[in-house]
Amino acid sequence: MSEHHPEETMPVVASDPDCPDLPDELIDELLAGARTPEEITGPEGLLQRLTKRLVERAMAAELTEHLGYEHGQAPPGGVGNARNGTTPKTIHTGHGSVRIVQPRDRSGSFEPQIVAKHQRRFEGFDDKIIAMYARGMSVRDIQAHLCELYGVEVGHDLISRVTDTVLDDVREWQARPLEDVYPILFLDALIVKVRDGGAVRNKACYLAIGVNLEGERDVLGLWFQSAEGAKFWLAVLNELKQRGVSDVLICCVDGLKGFPEAIEAVFPEAWVQTCIVHLIRQSLRFVPDKHRRQVAKDLKPIYTAVDAEAAAEALARFETDWGERYPMIGTTWREAWEHVIPFLAFPPDLRRVVYTTNTIEALHRQIRKTIKTRGHFPTEEAARKLIYLSIQNAQKSWRQTYHWSSALLSFKIHFGDRLP
């Protein structure tokens, strides 16, 4: 056995019973002469030196196993593969860059496992880059952050290569099978700026959120198109059907023209619910500030009515009071009426869930918060990977839909056997 040196052992802190604590004496020996944070975790500090020794010792042991004889001994029979010096390389770790030497063999058949031939980063380092990217940090910010905290200098190309690995996850996520029935489906799009040729153009990012039978929300996919339109929504809905969705009970949408027809073409039995909040906003666009508060107050009896009949009476009263001054408001509500009133068939707890697209608009707000520092994206793929990461972060905090048990009972009453 070789003589023991303090640097030859990597300290490990136990996190469970299967990983026993290192003796205090060994820790004291390792920390001898290293007391300040800089001496332990800084450049050329204890952690970096231990990492260097550990990696080099491990690769030396791997090469010994590969060759079948110890260092300093002759090859069995005096012939065969042999050690052939070392190659220097730098690897990036969570506590800084470490310069190591990688052993070689004469035949070039040695493939180290702890640090592969072309590997430049330890496991976990890429995760740090992706986590920072997912929170909206620019490439320049990530470079500065890694340099400041870890003393690691990484190039723009490295960060791009690391974040591009997310695209494989996006493709798998986008193609995954979906559930058979979604009681609620929220559909909406947000606009992002993407460079196209020599100009920066607006593109619509289509998003769909499904609420499953357990009341759990899930983003079902994201799609890009030059602008939002019912024709492309038809393609989105067909893709959802191809991925396994056979029925949707209620689709909550904004007031996009042709949207209900697109939904009914794919899911003919679905109830289409126009977002009441969108309808109110659209109505108030016609109203000057001096009347806006009162008009909003007088619209409220329509969407808080006990049923569709009472809502129609409330709309008639509104038109009596305001129809002469703002006839376009009554016209707007009547043109959308078939898709305004479906939620009035439900009790108050379920109405709160389906009368507005706030669920998906809240996701839009979080995505915009993530991408706001970008200004615009260089490519559609760059937009896709950052929006996907933002969605994954958002979903971590999602809980079961409010009052879901009573909502499920109402769905069963209204939709019967369509609800499994």
Side-chain angles (χ1 to χ4, degrees), residues 310-325:
E313 294 172 358
L315 177 58
R317 288 195 299 271
F318 178 88
E319 289 179 309
T320 299
D321 295 337
W322 295 100
E324 186 175 348
R325 189 182 296 268

Side-chain angles (χ1 to χ4, degrees), residues 91 110 139 145 176 211 315:
I91 58 172
F110 174 50
V139 171
H145 188 76
R176 74 196 189 280
V211 181
L315 177 58

